[in-house]
Amino acid sequence: MQPHMHAARIVVASNRGPVSYKQDADGRLTAGRGGGGLVSGLSSMDRDAGAVWVCTAMGEGDREAARRAGRRLDTEDTGGHRVRMLDIDPDTFAAAYNGIANSVLWFIHHLLYETPLAPVFDADFRRQWAAYEAYNTAFADALAEEAAQGAAVLVQDYHLTLVPALLRERRPDLRIGHFSHTPWAPPDYYRLLPDDIAEQVLRGILGGDRAAFLTERWAEAFADCCARVLGAEIVRGAGGTAVLFEGRTTRLGVHGLGVDADFLRERAHRADVEERMAALREQIGPDRKAIVRIDRTELSKNIVRGLHAYRRLLEEHPEWLGKVVHVAFAYPSRQDLRVYRDYTAEVERVAREINSTFGTVDWEPVALHVKDDFARSLAAYRLADVALVNPIRDGMNLVAKEVPVVSDHGCALVLSREAGAVAELGDDALVVNPYDVEATARALHSALLMDPDERGARSKRLSVAATALPPARWFLDQLAAL
């Protein structure tokens, strides 16, 4: 496949792009910033680098924008990025995105299956997998067209695991990298996948020159899967780890993703954040401590066990009754999947139950908010005495990094040992087993009692670690390594 006449030296591929569109009743399109940590990282690309970003339409507004735009979206909508948005058949997209990426690969890498009942890899799964293959093929075709001779192509995440090998077939001249933003499952769990699918995903990523991860732990898990599932040779040396398979060498890399301190601190002191802070202070009440969590209602985020740990704190330490509020922002996620709707409902049920059991006329133990509001999240970061980040498993978790960066008076961090961020923040956090509700309750108690000077010192060190690898460096380091 030949490159386009305006081919790019740098091409990025991700499921979600830097812009999303809504269409009103009159057919007018309104552009808004795309969501997600990946968008934040990739948005750091230099607009003058001539890069092209290939993404897909996520909804009807996006599809209409892609149809109207032709090859490229208007740069006024995209923050200056050159963006090609693919108009993939809605049924193919739904089966690939919801059926495979979010309901199979996400579950595998976050260890989420209740294995007596799931997964079941039947004929429906095979039909969805065919859609995932078609989805990845559409990306590979577009990338082959967009990339100049010898260009660097950075493929992002679990939605596009097959793209590196497919693109290699089309354009062997390219330098191809794949980056995984999720954890990677250990071999025994990864092999829940059908044998041929487990091989196909690994072969897909190994089609690249480089496969990169957020932490050493996830890179090692990938290498172990390559060895166990494919029989690949793993070479470890001073130059890093590489996978040798069928005559090809794929180097492995690790690039931790930090936060943009300057942006967060400036944004956290705008007028809308100050307004939200005043409202939250009123809701929390005077002289009360705040335990803050901010998450999507994603199954891996472990919100329900966090609420149970808070309940145990109140049961075991009645001295905190009336003196602490759990500010829980649980923003609905993936509500087109029933399991996520059910989980969101359970979060709300447990929060109501705690309030019913312990609440008084002038004290609501859990302040639950379910409407996404970035300004309110920043306000909570600034107010937090304790931040609870207890995922079952997480590639990195940027909330753990954002809170200490914008905290007004220092914040104690209770952090799951299964979050990738623990590799960088573990020394100054209170690290917990995310399944152990009793231990998490004890950690919350210790965090609430922490001496203000110690809390402030820890928070400063957490902030330094959290900002050591800002998004721009994260992206440029991958490019340089490729």
Side-chain angles (χ1 to χ4, degrees):
M1 188 172 293
Q2 294 300 311
H4 186 255
M5 61 181 293
H6 298 298
R9 301 295 306 168
I10 301 170
V11 186
V12 173
S14 65
N15 176 70
R16 193 183 299 270
V19 62
S20 61
Y21 292 88
K22 292 182 179 179
Q23 186 174 13
D24 64 20
D26 296 325
R28 287 189 297 267
L29 291 172
T30 303
R33 185 177 184 274
L38 173 58
V39 170
S40 297
L42 296 182
S43 291
S44 64
M45 281 192 298
D46 186 347
R47 309 312 194 258
D48 298 325
V52 170
W53 189 337
V54 178
C55 61
T56 190
M58 301 287 291
E60 283 307 313
D62 286 355
R63 290 190 186 93
E64 182 59 29
R67 293 178 195 123
R68 294 182 189 180
R71 189 174 191 87
R72 301 267 174 79
L73 299 177
D74 188 334
T75 54
E76 289 188 7
D77 293 343
T78 63
H81 294 295
R82 297 162 65 196
V83 176
R84 178 172 176 179
M85 183 176 278
L86 305 180
D87 179 16
I88 293 173
D89 173 76
D91 291 338
T92 299
F93 172 78
Y97 180 66
N98 286 327
I100 298 298
N102 288 341
S103 295
V104 176
L105 297 180
W106 180 273
F107 272 58
I108 287 288
H109 291 314
H110 292 84
L111 317 185
L112 292 177
Y113 280 118
E114 296 183 38
T115 53
L117 300 173
V120 177
F121 296 123
D122 54 11
D124 284 341
F125 164 79
R126 289 292 170 173
R127 283 191 288 272
Q128 291 173 330
W129 184 259
Y132 183 80
E133 291 175 316
Y135 175 80
N136 276 251
T137 298
F139 266 88
D141 287 342
L143 293 170
E145 291 175 5
E146 295 291 349
Q149 191 73 17
V153 181
L154 294 175
V155 181
Q156 304 294 318
D157 227 0
Y158 61 102
H159 314 89
L160 302 176
T161 59
L162 308 184
V163 167
L166 292 169
L167 185 56
R168 177 73 59 200
E169 293 172 3
R170 289 155 174 77
R171 294 285 306 278
D173 60 292
L174 300 176
R175 293 173 293 140
I176 304 169
H178 185 277
F179 192 94
S180 294
H181 293 259
T182 64
W184 195 273
D188 286 346
Y189 203 91
Y190 181 77
R191 296 182 80 172
L192 289 177
L193 289 170
D195 291 350
D196 61 317
I197 302 300
E199 288 192 17
Q200 190 177 353
V201 168
L202 295 174
R203 286 173 177 271
I205 293 176
L206 292 177
D209 300 284
R210 201 163 181 273
F213 303 84
L214 286 165
T215 72
E216 193 70 37
R217 180 182 179 187
W218 311 141
E220 283 298 314
F222 175 79
D224 290 345
C225 286
C226 290
R228 290 272 298 277
V229 175
L230 297 177
E233 180 184 355
I234 311 302
V235 178
R236 295 179 174 86
T241 301
V243 179
L244 277 59
F245 181 64
E246 295 185 343
R248 278 193 47 76
T249 299
T250 302
R251 293 170 291 121
L252 304 189
V254 175
H255 300 282
L257 177 59
V259 299
D260 185 336
D262 291 340
F263 164 75
L264 282 173
R265 288 170 179 149
E266 185 276 327
R267 182 66 185 87
H269 287 84
R270 293 185 194 172
D272 59 344
V273 176
E274 299 290 349
E275 291 173 5
R276 281 19 169 232
M277 285 184 69
L280 283 173
R281 283 196 187 98
E282 185 175 349
Q283 185 174 24
I284 294 167
D287 303 321
R288 288 180 179 142
K289 291 184 178 292
I291 299 172
V292 169
R293 83 166 306 132
I294 296 164
D295 279 308
R296 293 174 294 111
T297 53
E298 207 292 310
L299 307 183
S300 67
K301 299 302 183 183
N302 208 24
I303 300 170
V304 171
R305 285 194 189 88
L307 288 166
H308 287 321
Y310 179 62
R311 187 214 310 265
R312 287 298 293 154
L313 171 74
L314 298 180
E315 290 171 347
E316 290 293 302
H317 296 281
E319 64 268 28
W320 290 117
L321 295 175
K323 295 182 180 178
V324 64
V325 172
H326 186 15
V327 180
F329 295 171
Y331 300 143
S333 174
R334 299 176 183 170
Q335 295 299 289
D336 44 356
L337 296 175
R338 180 177 177 179
V339 65
Y340 284 88
R341 294 195 299 273
D342 291 346
Y343 188 75
T344 301
E346 179 65 5
V347 168
E348 293 174 324
R349 187 195 68 78
V350 175
R352 285 195 304 269
E353 188 178 84
I354 293 171
N355 285 337
S356 175
T357 301
F358 297 99
T360 62
V361 173
D362 63 349
W363 175 57
E364 187 176 60
V366 179
L368 179 67
H369 295 265
V370 296
K371 185 178 180 182
D372 197 347
D373 186 332
F374 184 51
R376 187 175 58 204
S377 296
L378 291 172
Y381 288 173
R382 289 181 57 186
L383 289 171
D385 297 289
V386 178
L388 174 59
V389 181
N390 68 320
I392 291 169
R393 198 168 167 87
D394 215 331
M396 177 56 68
N397 195 290
L398 291 183
V399 169
K401 295 187 170 187
E402 290 169 348
V403 178
V405 169
V406 300
S407 171
D408 279 356
H409 54 269
C411 178
L413 175 63
V414 176
L415 179 63
S416 166
R417 69 188 186 194
E418 298 303 315
V422 80
E424 299 159 51
L425 307 182
D427 289 346
D428 287 297
L430 301 176
V431 178
V432 296
N433 174 345
Y435 297 96
D436 191 337
V437 168
E438 295 289 309
T440 304
R442 290 195 296 271
L444 290 174
H445 180 60
S446 297
L448 289 167
L449 291 176
M450 190 177 291
D451 177 79
D453 290 339
E454 180 185 354
R455 186 180 69 191
R458 285 186 184 225
S459 195
K460 286 179 181 176
R461 292 193 296 269
L462 288 168
S463 179
V464 170
T467 56
L469 295 165
R473 180 177 167 189
W474 168 82
F475 178 79
L476 293 173
D477 282 356
Q478 287 183 70
L479 198 59
L482 187 59

